Amino acid sequence: MDRLSLNYFDIMVLDCLFKINGERSGSAVFHLFKGKRSSQTIQDAGLFQTAKYFGMAAQCSRSDISASLTKLEQHSYLEPMSETDTYKVTASGAAGLRHALSERPWPVHCHGAYYQQAAGVLWKRLSLLVQVLSHKLQGSRQYIPVTKDYKTLHWVKRYLSRHTDHIEMASSLFAMLEAHLHEVGDKAAQIFVYSLTSHDRIGYTSRQLADTLKEDEWYVYIMFWASVHYFIHSLPECEDTLLKDLLSDVRLDNALTESTRKTWQMIKQGVPIHRIAEIRKLKTATIEDHIVEISLHEPAFVIDDYVSAEDQLQIAEFAKRMRTNKIKQIRDGLEQRFSYFQIRLALTKQVQQYD
């Protein structure tokens, strides 16, 4: 591949910058892709509707982002904004983005903020279970486990000790995989199956699969995780006990940071901001960060106690008219009648939770 040709990672970067619209730097995209569990990154993911990318390129480095920005500039898809580390997507960039996503659309059930943390656990357990059962059925004891993760090894060993009919379990596992993979499409199913290691075959890497399928390596990687995400997405309606067992001890509501969850519990008990800060020995500003985070990820959360419905409307209308989410610009434009907290909170209710 030509070093200047764009791959799916570049398209992901471009889509984020298009949604951010010059209001955050390349570092914000880096933290988003890495899945940094800070209030700022989680708030940005909701505010700019980029939450599906959260944690979806956890192995990327700052130099990967820099290289992608350079390529996108050389394609005239981006132009740097003066005196800031921000970028504007050009008209040709927007057209290129639309074309790229029409050819390789983001998989429907792939959502980093919702599923990626649990997906990592599910894949390690599921892939090890497939490998172990495959070897047991062949009477083989000599093999290297697909993961060295102690928690995964311990979980699978304990699970197998409680379910001793391994032939029946293998049959159930096959039926569950077949039923779920039927729903994700042939190519995604093929990618998932060939990523598994059995007695007869070592699982392919994303690069090996990309070469085999003559497909973009990053898109193969995303399609693989999309299949794993679908397993989790289907869980509420799923009657398969094996799949439920694989995730029985895994927290699935990963959108909020742990600290924010504690604040959320106290808010539901009617504790005011200043008391939460005192009890938790945190700054008031930190509790306000938590409340903004809650507002983004809990659609039923009502913010009227912090900013009235009338004030919300005024802030939203100004932001829409000025086409900006920049808090300072909105605050100055509204003659500083509202606090930064109130403006941030009002903006959260003007965007869909996720795209």
Side-chain angles (χ1 to χ4, degrees):
M1 182 182 283
D2 178 357
R3 66 185 181 86
L4 289 181
S5 63
L6 299 181
N7 58 36
Y8 205 70
F9 181 83
D10 302 318
I11 298 306
M12 290 162 62
V13 171
L14 184 63
D15 191 35
C16 287
L17 292 174
F18 181 73
K19 289 181 166 75
I20 288 169
N21 194 28
E23 298 194 12
R24 295 289 187 274
S25 68
S27 289
V29 178
F30 171 69
H31 293 313
L32 177 74
F33 283 5
K34 295 288 284 185
K36 184 178 182 182
R37 300 197 68 77
S38 67
S39 285
Q40 184 65 60
T41 301
I42 290 171
Q43 287 170 37
D44 283 353
L47 191 62
F48 298 113
Q49 300 181 54
T50 55
K52 67 185 181 185
Y53 294 121
F54 188 86
M56 291 307 301
Q59 74 276 43
C60 80
S61 64
R62 286 188 181 275
S63 61
D64 292 328
I65 298 290
S66 296
S68 184
L69 294 172
T70 299
K71 271 200 282 181
L72 290 165
E73 268 194 82
Q74 289 171 337
H75 278 263
S76 301
Y77 280 8
L78 290 181
E79 55 185 41
M81 298 177 73
S82 58
E83 299 177 12
T84 61
D85 183 25
T86 57
Y87 293 85
K88 202 82 170 170
V89 175
T90 63
S92 62
L97 178 63
R98 284 193 300 273
H99 177 71
L101 291 178
S102 69
E103 285 196 326
R104 294 187 178 96
W106 185 263
V108 175
H109 301 295
C110 193
H111 199 296
Y114 279 162
Y115 304 132
Q116 187 60 9
Q117 196 165 312
V121 177
L122 175 60
W123 169 246
K124 281 191 282 191
R125 289 177 179 179
L126 183 59
S127 58
L128 180 60
L129 192 58
V130 166
Q131 182 191 29
V132 171
L133 286 172
S134 174
H135 280 270
K136 278 185 178 294
L137 295 184
Q138 294 293 328
S140 167
R141 291 175 172 270
Q142 297 292 317
Y143 59 94
I144 299 170
V146 289
T147 179
K148 294 179 181 178
D149 180 65
Y150 169 77
K151 289 182 179 178
T152 305
L153 292 165
H154 181 67
W155 189 93
V156 169
K157 185 176 182 181
R158 201 173 68 230
Y159 188 74
L160 287 169
S161 71
R162 294 200 307 268
H163 301 81
T164 53
D165 189 340
H166 297 148
I167 294 175
E168 184 186 343
M169 186 188 294
S171 177
S172 297
L173 185 58
F174 178 83
M176 183 270 286
L177 289 172
E178 187 176 43
H180 279 75
L181 292 173
H182 181 71
E183 300 298 323
V184 300
D186 290 347
K187 184 175 281 190
Q190 185 179 10
I191 289 167
F192 182 89
V193 169
Y194 277 90
S195 299
L196 290 166
T197 293
S198 67
H199 175 270
D200 301 315
R201 190 190 69 235
I202 294 173
Y204 284 44
T205 65
S206 293
R207 176 167 290 183
Q208 288 170 331
L209 281 165
D211 290 343
T212 302
L213 298 172
K214 294 181 171 47
E215 181 57 89
D216 180 283
E217 182 182 345
W218 267 99
Y219 194 55
V220 166
Y221 175 82
I222 294 299
M223 287 183 80
F224 162 76
W225 282 114
S227 296
V228 185
H229 287 199
Y230 177 72
F231 282 85
I232 304 169
H233 170 81
S234 67
L235 205 58
E237 287 80 36
C238 179
E239 296 179 1
D240 193 289
T241 54
L242 178 55
L243 181 57
K244 288 183 184 294
D245 286 347
L246 285 164
L247 287 167
S248 59
D249 59 337
V250 178
R251 182 187 284 276
L252 298 178
D253 55 337
N254 287 313
L256 300 179
T257 59
E258 194 60 43
S259 186
T260 299
R261 283 195 193 99
K262 292 175 182 175
T263 295
W264 180 216
Q265 290 304 316
M266 297 178 81
I267 287 171
K268 285 190 280 191
Q269 293 164 16
V271 183
I273 290 176
H274 72 278
R275 279 295 293 144
I276 297 174
E278 287 172 7
I279 293 166
R280 299 200 58 206
K281 296 181 172 58
L282 295 171
K283 293 178 181 177
T284 301
T286 302
I287 304 303
E288 289 177 347
D289 279 348
H290 293 170
I291 292 170
V292 173
E293 206 180 310
I294 292 162
S295 182
L296 278 164
H297 299 290
E298 297 289 342
F301 178 55
V302 178
I303 64 172
D304 296 17
D305 287 346
Y306 307 104
V307 52
S308 72
E310 184 183 342
D311 290 344
Q312 289 174 47
L313 187 60
Q314 193 174 349
I315 292 166
E317 285 179 347
F318 182 85
K320 187 176 181 180
R321 190 165 66 250
M322 300 304 292
R323 296 183 180 180
T324 185
N325 284 322
K326 289 183 177 175
I327 314 299
K328 188 177 188 307
Q329 187 177 334
I330 294 169
R331 188 165 187 258
D332 290 345
L334 293 171
E335 300 172 339
Q336 302 190 353
R337 293 198 303 277
F338 307 108
S339 68
Y340 286 107
F341 170 57
Q342 287 176 311
I343 295 168
R344 289 162 64 210
L345 205 49
L347 289 177
T348 66
K349 290 304 178 188
Q350 304 312 310
V351 296
Q352 293 177 347
Q353 184 180 356
Y354 301 113
D355 57 353

